[in-house]
mmCIF file of all heavy atoms in Angstrom:
data_model
loop_
_atom_site.group_PDB
_atom_site.id
_atom_site.type_symbol
_atom_site.label_atom_id
_atom_site.label_comp_id
_atom_site.label_asym_id
_atom_site.label_seq_id
_atom_site.Cartn_x
_atom_site.Cartn_y
_atom_site.Cartn_z
ATOM 1 N N THR A 16 -66.382 200.986 226.109
ATOM 2 C CA THR A 16 -65.569 200.607 227.257
ATOM 3 C C THR A 16 -64.324 199.858 226.787
ATOM 4 O O THR A 16 -64.255 199.368 225.672
ATOM 5 C CB THR A 16 -66.367 199.711 228.227
ATOM 6 O OG1 THR A 16 -66.793 198.542 227.519
ATOM 7 C CG2 THR A 16 -67.569 200.445 228.778
ATOM 8 N N GLY A 17 -63.351 199.764 227.667
ATOM 9 C CA GLY A 17 -62.131 199.018 227.350
ATOM 10 C C GLY A 17 -60.939 199.935 227.215
ATOM 11 O O GLY A 17 -61.050 201.164 227.199
ATOM 12 N N GLY A 18 -59.758 199.307 227.149
ATOM 13 C CA GLY A 18 -58.528 200.066 227.043
ATOM 14 C C GLY A 18 -57.325 199.212 227.380
ATOM 15 O O GLY A 18 -57.392 197.973 227.335
ATOM 16 N N PRO A 19 -56.211 199.842 227.761
ATOM 17 C CA PRO A 19 -54.962 199.114 227.984
ATOM 18 C C PRO A 19 -54.985 198.146 229.162
ATOM 19 O O PRO A 19 -54.102 197.298 229.284
ATOM 20 C CB PRO A 19 -53.933 200.234 228.214
ATOM 21 C CG PRO A 19 -54.739 201.413 228.633
ATOM 22 C CD PRO A 19 -56.035 201.295 227.904
ATOM 23 N N PHE A 20 -56.002 198.248 230.015
ATOM 24 C CA PHE A 20 -56.076 197.359 231.179
ATOM 25 C C PHE A 20 -56.990 196.159 230.938
ATOM 26 O O PHE A 20 -57.321 195.418 231.872
ATOM 27 C CB PHE A 20 -56.539 198.152 232.409
ATOM 28 C CG PHE A 20 -55.535 199.168 232.867
ATOM 29 C CD1 PHE A 20 -55.507 200.428 232.295
ATOM 30 C CD2 PHE A 20 -54.611 198.866 233.847
ATOM 31 C CE1 PHE A 20 -54.576 201.379 232.685
ATOM 32 C CE2 PHE A 20 -53.670 199.802 234.259
ATOM 33 C CZ PHE A 20 -53.649 201.068 233.670
ATOM 34 N N ASP A 21 -57.386 195.948 229.686
ATOM 35 C CA ASP A 21 -58.312 194.857 229.373
ATOM 36 C C ASP A 21 -57.747 193.485 229.728
ATOM 37 O O ASP A 21 -58.483 192.597 230.171
ATOM 38 C CB ASP A 21 -58.693 194.882 227.886
ATOM 39 C CG ASP A 21 -59.703 195.965 227.565
ATOM 40 O OD1 ASP A 21 -60.190 196.630 228.505
ATOM 41 O OD2 ASP A 21 -60.011 196.165 226.373
ATOM 42 N N ARG A 22 -56.455 193.280 229.511
ATOM 43 C CA ARG A 22 -55.868 191.964 229.805
ATOM 44 C C ARG A 22 -55.944 191.672 231.301
ATOM 45 O O ARG A 22 -56.264 190.540 231.708
ATOM 46 C CB ARG A 22 -54.421 191.895 229.325
ATOM 47 C CG ARG A 22 -53.740 190.554 229.640
ATOM 48 C CD ARG A 22 -52.385 190.425 228.952
ATOM 49 N NE ARG A 22 -51.652 189.248 229.384
ATOM 50 C CZ ARG A 22 -51.893 188.011 228.970
ATOM 51 N NH1 ARG A 22 -52.856 187.806 228.085
ATOM 52 N NH2 ARG A 22 -51.176 186.999 229.408
ATOM 53 N N ALA A 23 -55.668 192.664 232.122
ATOM 54 C CA ALA A 23 -55.758 192.472 233.575
ATOM 55 C C ALA A 23 -57.190 192.153 233.981
ATOM 56 O O ALA A 23 -57.434 191.265 234.809
ATOM 57 C CB ALA A 23 -55.265 193.720 234.298
ATOM 58 N N ILE A 24 -58.152 192.863 233.395
ATOM 59 C CA ILE A 24 -59.566 192.606 233.687
ATOM 60 C C ILE A 24 -59.946 191.194 233.264
ATOM 61 O O ILE A 24 -60.630 190.465 233.997
ATOM 62 C CB ILE A 24 -60.447 193.644 232.963
ATOM 63 C CG1 ILE A 24 -60.175 195.048 233.509
ATOM 64 C CG2 ILE A 24 -61.923 193.288 233.102
ATOM 65 C CD1 ILE A 24 -60.799 196.155 232.685
ATOM 66 N N GLU A 25 -59.500 190.800 232.076
ATOM 67 C CA GLU A 25 -59.797 189.457 231.564
ATOM 68 C C GLU A 25 -59.258 188.382 232.498
ATOM 69 O O GLU A 25 -59.945 187.398 232.808
ATOM 70 C CB GLU A 25 -59.186 189.295 230.174
ATOM 71 C CG GLU A 25 -59.338 187.908 229.573
ATOM 72 C CD GLU A 25 -58.527 187.717 228.307
ATOM 73 O OE1 GLU A 25 -57.996 188.716 227.780
ATOM 74 O OE2 GLU A 25 -58.409 186.566 227.856
ATOM 75 N N LYS A 26 -58.031 188.562 232.966
ATOM 76 C CA LYS A 26 -57.426 187.557 233.852
ATOM 77 C C LYS A 26 -58.150 187.508 235.194
ATOM 78 O O LYS A 26 -58.364 186.424 235.764
ATOM 79 C CB LYS A 26 -55.938 187.870 234.056
ATOM 80 C CG LYS A 26 -55.082 187.664 232.820
ATOM 81 C CD LYS A 26 -55.051 186.201 232.398
ATOM 82 C CE LYS A 26 -54.136 185.970 231.209
ATOM 83 N NZ LYS A 26 -54.120 184.546 230.791
ATOM 84 N N GLY A 27 -58.512 188.677 235.720
ATOM 85 C CA GLY A 27 -59.247 188.693 236.982
ATOM 86 C C GLY A 27 -60.575 187.984 236.861
ATOM 87 O O GLY A 27 -60.959 187.173 237.723
ATOM 88 N N ASN A 28 -61.303 188.268 235.792
ATOM 89 C CA ASN A 28 -62.595 187.611 235.575
ATOM 90 C C ASN A 28 -62.446 186.109 235.372
ATOM 91 O O ASN A 28 -63.285 185.318 235.827
ATOM 92 C CB ASN A 28 -63.295 188.229 234.362
ATOM 93 C CG ASN A 28 -63.962 189.552 234.695
ATOM 94 O OD1 ASN A 28 -64.462 189.750 235.798
ATOM 95 N ND2 ASN A 28 -63.974 190.469 233.735
ATOM 96 N N LYS A 29 -61.376 185.712 234.704
ATOM 97 C CA LYS A 29 -61.145 184.289 234.475
ATOM 98 C C LYS A 29 -60.898 183.564 235.792
ATOM 99 O O LYS A 29 -61.448 182.469 236.026
ATOM 100 C CB LYS A 29 -59.950 184.097 233.537
ATOM 101 C CG LYS A 29 -59.649 182.638 233.223
ATOM 102 C CD LYS A 29 -58.474 182.503 232.254
ATOM 103 C CE LYS A 29 -58.170 181.047 231.953
ATOM 104 N NZ LYS A 29 -57.012 180.907 231.019
ATOM 105 N N ALA A 30 -60.089 184.162 236.651
ATOM 106 C CA ALA A 30 -59.815 183.539 237.951
ATOM 107 C C ALA A 30 -61.095 183.401 238.763
ATOM 108 O O ALA A 30 -61.339 182.365 239.399
ATOM 109 C CB ALA A 30 -58.782 184.371 238.717
ATOM 110 N N ILE A 31 -61.931 184.422 238.733
ATOM 111 C CA ILE A 31 -63.195 184.383 239.474
ATOM 112 C C ILE A 31 -64.108 183.290 238.924
ATOM 113 O O ILE A 31 -64.711 182.517 239.674
ATOM 114 C CB ILE A 31 -63.886 185.757 239.407
ATOM 115 C CG1 ILE A 31 -63.064 186.799 240.182
ATOM 116 C CG2 ILE A 31 -65.307 185.682 239.965
ATOM 117 C CD1 ILE A 31 -63.426 188.231 239.873
ATOM 118 N N LYS A 32 -64.194 183.223 237.591
ATOM 119 C CA LYS A 32 -65.071 182.237 236.958
ATOM 120 C C LYS A 32 -64.627 180.809 237.253
ATOM 121 O O LYS A 32 -65.460 179.932 237.538
ATOM 122 C CB LYS A 32 -65.096 182.469 235.448
ATOM 123 C CG LYS A 32 -66.001 181.511 234.691
ATOM 124 C CD LYS A 32 -66.002 181.814 233.204
ATOM 125 C CE LYS A 32 -66.894 180.838 232.438
ATOM 126 N NZ LYS A 32 -66.904 181.141 230.973
ATOM 127 N N LEU A 33 -63.331 180.555 237.206
ATOM 128 C CA LEU A 33 -62.830 179.186 237.345
ATOM 129 C C LEU A 33 -62.617 178.748 238.787
ATOM 130 O O LEU A 33 -62.657 177.553 239.080
ATOM 131 C CB LEU A 33 -61.509 179.039 236.585
ATOM 132 C CG LEU A 33 -61.575 179.179 235.066
ATOM 133 C CD1 LEU A 33 -60.180 179.025 234.476
ATOM 134 C CD2 LEU A 33 -62.530 178.151 234.458
ATOM 135 N N HIS A 34 -62.390 179.709 239.699
ATOM 136 C CA HIS A 34 -61.926 179.322 241.031
ATOM 137 C C HIS A 34 -62.744 179.873 242.189
ATOM 138 O O HIS A 34 -62.303 179.803 243.339
ATOM 139 C CB HIS A 34 -60.453 179.727 241.188
ATOM 140 C CG HIS A 34 -59.557 179.051 240.198
ATOM 141 N ND1 HIS A 34 -59.323 177.698 240.223
ATOM 142 C CD2 HIS A 34 -58.868 179.547 239.126
ATOM 143 C CE1 HIS A 34 -58.510 177.375 239.222
ATOM 144 N NE2 HIS A 34 -58.227 178.473 238.533
ATOM 145 N N SER A 35 -63.915 180.416 241.901
ATOM 146 C CA SER A 35 -64.777 180.879 242.988
ATOM 147 C C SER A 35 -65.357 179.682 243.741
ATOM 148 O O SER A 35 -65.883 178.741 243.134
ATOM 149 C CB SER A 35 -65.917 181.734 242.421
ATOM 150 O OG SER A 35 -66.825 182.098 243.435
ATOM 151 N N ILE A 36 -65.266 179.706 245.066
ATOM 152 C CA ILE A 36 -65.846 178.664 245.918
ATOM 153 C C ILE A 36 -66.940 179.309 246.764
ATOM 154 O O ILE A 36 -66.654 180.068 247.687
ATOM 155 C CB ILE A 36 -64.790 178.027 246.843
ATOM 156 C CG1 ILE A 36 -63.665 177.394 246.018
ATOM 157 C CG2 ILE A 36 -65.437 176.979 247.754
ATOM 158 C CD1 ILE A 36 -62.536 176.844 246.857
ATOM 159 N N GLN A 37 -68.193 179.012 246.441
ATOM 160 C CA GLN A 37 -69.310 179.585 247.188
ATOM 161 C C GLN A 37 -70.106 178.528 247.945
ATOM 162 O O GLN A 37 -71.049 178.851 248.663
ATOM 163 C CB GLN A 37 -70.209 180.384 246.242
ATOM 164 C CG GLN A 37 -69.468 181.558 245.602
ATOM 165 C CD GLN A 37 -70.374 182.525 244.874
ATOM 166 O OE1 GLN A 37 -71.521 182.722 245.246
ATOM 167 N NE2 GLN A 37 -69.847 183.137 243.821
ATOM 168 N N THR A 38 -69.709 177.261 247.794
ATOM 169 C CA THR A 38 -70.314 176.185 248.585
ATOM 170 C C THR A 38 -69.929 176.371 250.051
ATOM 171 O O THR A 38 -68.766 176.629 250.362
ATOM 172 C CB THR A 38 -69.817 174.815 248.095
ATOM 173 O OG1 THR A 38 -70.143 174.669 246.717
ATOM 174 C CG2 THR A 38 -70.442 173.688 248.896
ATOM 175 N N LYS A 39 -70.902 176.247 250.948
ATOM 176 C CA LYS A 39 -70.617 176.410 252.372
ATOM 177 C C LYS A 39 -69.826 175.211 252.900
ATOM 178 O O LYS A 39 -70.092 174.068 252.527
ATOM 179 C CB LYS A 39 -71.922 176.540 253.168
ATOM 180 C CG LYS A 39 -72.786 177.728 252.780
ATOM 181 C CD LYS A 39 -72.099 179.041 253.089
ATOM 182 C CE LYS A 39 -73.011 180.215 252.753
ATOM 183 N NZ LYS A 39 -72.356 181.526 253.018
ATOM 184 N N PRO A 40 -68.854 175.460 253.776
ATOM 185 C CA PRO A 40 -68.108 174.346 254.368
ATOM 186 C C PRO A 40 -68.958 173.634 255.429
ATOM 187 O O PRO A 40 -69.996 174.152 255.860
ATOM 188 C CB PRO A 40 -66.905 175.045 255.019
ATOM 189 C CG PRO A 40 -67.434 176.405 255.360
ATOM 190 C CD PRO A 40 -68.391 176.771 254.260
ATOM 191 N N THR A 41 -68.517 172.475 255.843
ATOM 192 C CA THR A 41 -69.213 171.746 256.903
ATOM 193 C C THR A 41 -69.140 172.548 258.200
ATOM 194 O O THR A 41 -68.062 172.972 258.617
ATOM 195 C CB THR A 41 -68.566 170.364 257.117
ATOM 196 O OG1 THR A 41 -68.611 169.635 255.885
ATOM 197 C CG2 THR A 41 -69.302 169.594 258.204
ATOM 198 N N ARG A 42 -70.288 172.769 258.802
ATOM 199 C CA ARG A 42 -70.331 173.597 260.006
ATOM 200 C C ARG A 42 -69.900 172.800 261.236
ATOM 201 O O ARG A 42 -70.274 171.643 261.410
ATOM 202 C CB ARG A 42 -71.740 174.161 260.200
ATOM 203 C CG ARG A 42 -72.111 175.233 259.185
ATOM 204 C CD ARG A 42 -73.578 175.637 259.313
ATOM 205 N NE ARG A 42 -73.886 176.807 258.511
ATOM 206 C CZ ARG A 42 -74.113 176.786 257.206
ATOM 207 N NH1 ARG A 42 -74.048 175.633 256.551
ATOM 208 N NH2 ARG A 42 -74.398 177.892 256.550
ATOM 209 N N LYS A 43 -69.150 173.472 262.092
ATOM 210 C CA LYS A 43 -68.682 172.835 263.316
ATOM 211 C C LYS A 43 -69.774 172.881 264.386
ATOM 212 O O LYS A 43 -70.581 173.815 264.412
ATOM 213 C CB LYS A 43 -67.431 173.550 263.827
ATOM 214 C CG LYS A 43 -66.240 173.473 262.886
ATOM 215 C CD LYS A 43 -65.043 174.199 263.472
ATOM 216 C CE LYS A 43 -63.839 174.113 262.524
ATOM 217 N NZ LYS A 43 -62.649 174.818 263.073
ATOM 218 N N PRO A 44 -69.788 171.902 265.267
ATOM 219 C CA PRO A 44 -70.793 171.907 266.351
ATOM 220 C C PRO A 44 -70.666 173.176 267.195
ATOM 221 O O PRO A 44 -69.569 173.628 267.511
ATOM 222 C CB PRO A 44 -70.437 170.655 267.170
ATOM 223 C CG PRO A 44 -69.708 169.770 266.201
ATOM 224 C CD PRO A 44 -68.948 170.689 265.299
ATOM 225 N N GLY A 45 -71.815 173.761 267.537
ATOM 226 C CA GLY A 45 -71.818 174.952 268.383
ATOM 227 C C GLY A 45 -71.434 176.234 267.675
ATOM 228 O O GLY A 45 -71.175 177.254 268.317
ATOM 229 N N TRP A 46 -71.413 176.217 266.350
ATOM 230 C CA TRP A 46 -70.955 177.389 265.607
ATOM 231 C C TRP A 46 -71.825 178.617 265.834
ATOM 232 O O TRP A 46 -71.334 179.751 265.761
ATOM 233 C CB TRP A 46 -70.877 177.069 264.114
ATOM 234 C CG TRP A 46 -72.199 176.791 263.459
ATOM 235 C CD1 TRP A 46 -72.841 175.595 263.383
ATOM 236 C CD2 TRP A 46 -73.038 177.742 262.795
ATOM 237 N NE1 TRP A 46 -74.022 175.708 262.703
ATOM 238 C CE2 TRP A 46 -74.175 177.029 262.331
ATOM 239 C CE3 TRP A 46 -72.939 179.103 262.535
ATOM 240 C CZ2 TRP A 46 -75.209 177.653 261.640
ATOM 241 C CZ3 TRP A 46 -73.965 179.727 261.833
ATOM 242 C CH2 TRP A 46 -75.090 179.011 261.400
ATOM 243 N N ARG A 47 -73.090 178.421 266.118
ATOM 244 C CA ARG A 47 -73.985 179.560 266.311
ATOM 245 C C ARG A 47 -73.617 180.393 267.532
ATOM 246 O O ARG A 47 -74.010 181.559 267.643
ATOM 247 C CB ARG A 47 -75.427 179.083 266.435
ATOM 248 C CG ARG A 47 -75.993 178.479 265.158
ATOM 249 C CD ARG A 47 -77.468 178.144 265.311
ATOM 250 N NE ARG A 47 -77.999 177.469 264.133
ATOM 251 C CZ ARG A 47 -78.398 178.100 263.028
ATOM 252 N NH1 ARG A 47 -78.321 179.416 262.948
ATOM 253 N NH2 ARG A 47 -78.869 177.404 262.002
ATOM 254 N N ASN A 48 -72.884 179.816 268.459
ATOM 255 C CA ASN A 48 -72.479 180.535 269.667
ATOM 256 C C ASN A 48 -71.112 181.193 269.531
ATOM 257 O O ASN A 48 -70.616 181.774 270.493
ATOM 258 C CB ASN A 48 -72.468 179.574 270.863
ATOM 259 C CG ASN A 48 -73.836 178.977 271.129
ATOM 260 O OD1 ASN A 48 -74.847 179.677 271.046
ATOM 261 N ND2 ASN A 48 -73.863 177.680 271.450
ATOM 262 N N ASN A 49 -70.527 181.093 268.354
ATOM 263 C CA ASN A 49 -69.199 181.667 268.110
ATOM 264 C C ASN A 49 -69.320 182.749 267.029
ATOM 265 O O ASN A 49 -69.502 182.426 265.860
ATOM 266 C CB ASN A 49 -68.235 180.563 267.653
ATOM 267 C CG ASN A 49 -66.803 181.061 267.534
ATOM 268 O OD1 ASN A 49 -66.552 182.200 267.156
ATOM 269 N ND2 ASN A 49 -65.851 180.188 267.850
ATOM 270 N N PRO A 50 -69.247 184.036 267.396
ATOM 271 C CA PRO A 50 -69.423 185.122 266.419
ATOM 272 C C PRO A 50 -68.476 185.034 265.222
ATOM 273 O O PRO A 50 -68.866 185.354 264.095
ATOM 274 C CB PRO A 50 -69.148 186.388 267.238
ATOM 275 C CG PRO A 50 -69.469 186.002 268.648
ATOM 276 C CD PRO A 50 -69.053 184.572 268.762
ATOM 277 N N LYS A 51 -67.249 184.593 265.456
ATOM 278 C CA LYS A 51 -66.296 184.485 264.352
ATOM 279 C C LYS A 51 -66.730 183.414 263.357
ATOM 280 O O LYS A 51 -66.616 183.603 262.137
ATOM 281 C CB LYS A 51 -64.896 184.172 264.891
ATOM 282 C CG LYS A 51 -64.244 185.334 265.618
ATOM 283 C CD LYS A 51 -62.812 185.004 266.010
ATOM 284 C CE LYS A 51 -62.144 186.200 266.689
ATOM 285 N NZ LYS A 51 -60.730 185.899 267.079
ATOM 286 N N LEU A 52 -67.223 182.289 263.879
ATOM 287 C CA LEU A 52 -67.692 181.229 262.985
ATOM 288 C C LEU A 52 -68.971 181.640 262.264
ATOM 289 O O LEU A 52 -69.155 181.315 261.082
ATOM 290 C CB LEU A 52 -67.929 179.943 263.781
ATOM 291 C CG LEU A 52 -66.690 179.163 264.208
ATOM 292 C CD1 LEU A 52 -67.080 177.934 265.020
ATOM 293 C CD2 LEU A 52 -65.854 178.756 262.995
ATOM 294 N N VAL A 53 -69.846 182.367 262.950
ATOM 295 C CA VAL A 53 -71.068 182.850 262.306
ATOM 296 C C VAL A 53 -70.706 183.731 261.111
ATOM 297 O O VAL A 53 -71.255 183.587 260.009
ATOM 298 C CB VAL A 53 -71.950 183.631 263.303
ATOM 299 C CG1 VAL A 53 -73.087 184.338 262.569
ATOM 300 C CG2 VAL A 53 -72.507 182.698 264.364
#
């Protein structure tokens, strides 16, 4: 695997590794009744 696009792949993976936010935000009251918030 690999080729001329390796640098782009490397940068994309680096951004994901360093800047992924998967912690849930503080939920607003009544969020369960709001489909967009759900």
Side-chain angles (χ1 to χ4, degrees):
T16 59
F20 293 85
D21 283 354
R22 178 171 172 78
I24 295 169
E25 176 190 350
K26 291 295 183 181
N28 281 326
K29 181 178 179 181
I31 293 164
K32 181 179 179 180
L33 294 179
H34 299 293
S35 175
I36 300 175
Q37 298 191 31
T38 302
K39 299 295 183 181
T41 302
R42 289 173 170 80
K43 297 180 180 180
W46 66 273
R47 293 185 184 278
N48 299 319
N49 186 325
K51 289 185 178 180
L52 285 178
V53 170

